[in-house]
Amino acid sequence: MKNLVDEMSLTDIKNAFGDVVSKALLGQPTVGLNRGKRAIAVVPVEVLDKYLVDEQRELREMIREREDEETVPLAPELDEVTGKLSATATAADA
């Protein structure tokens, strides 16, 4: 069975960029390898759009799941941190 995704070195992609773009326009993604490891992908924009929609959906779900969780006021934590920073700065000035 033929691979669904072509894999090429980044140098080969640079040298054959027109062909890689043409393949992407036809729905054929290409993965770029950097030192033998998968580093980039040239994909049709529809693939990117779907990925972005899926990511946004996942983030919204995470927010909805945590909406009812108890929150912790940050002011006391910030006061403690800024107090420690002030003490450190004062000690450094002495």
Side-chain angles (χ1 to χ4, degrees):
M1 183 170 137
K2 185 179 176 185
N3 286 343
L4 295 176
V5 178
D6 288 338
E7 291 188 350
M8 303 170 69
S9 72
L10 295 178
T11 301
D12 289 343
I13 287 177
K14 289 178 192 176
N15 293 334
F17 192 66
D19 292 335
V20 171
V21 168
S22 294
K23 286 180 184 180
L25 291 171
L26 295 172
Q28 175 70 41
T30 301
V31 170
L33 305 174
N34 186 21
R35 296 187 175 109
K37 294 183 181 179
R38 296 167 63 130
I40 66 162
V42 181
V43 299
V45 73
E46 293 84 8
V47 172
L48 174 63
D49 289 344
K50 183 180 180 325
Y51 167 79
L52 294 173
V53 167
D54 290 347
E55 284 294 302
Q56 288 176 351
R57 183 180 303 119
E58 187 175 329
L59 288 172
R60 285 188 190 111
E61 287 175 17
M62 288 172 57
I63 290 168
R64 267 194 295 276
E65 289 171 2
R66 293 186 172 120
E67 281 178 340
D68 295 331
E69 289 182 9
E70 185 178 333
T71 59
V72 178
L74 287 178
E77 300 295 325
L78 292 173
D79 290 343
E80 181 181 340
V81 169
T82 55
K84 288 179 182 177
L85 291 174
S86 295
T88 302
T90 303
D93 291 340

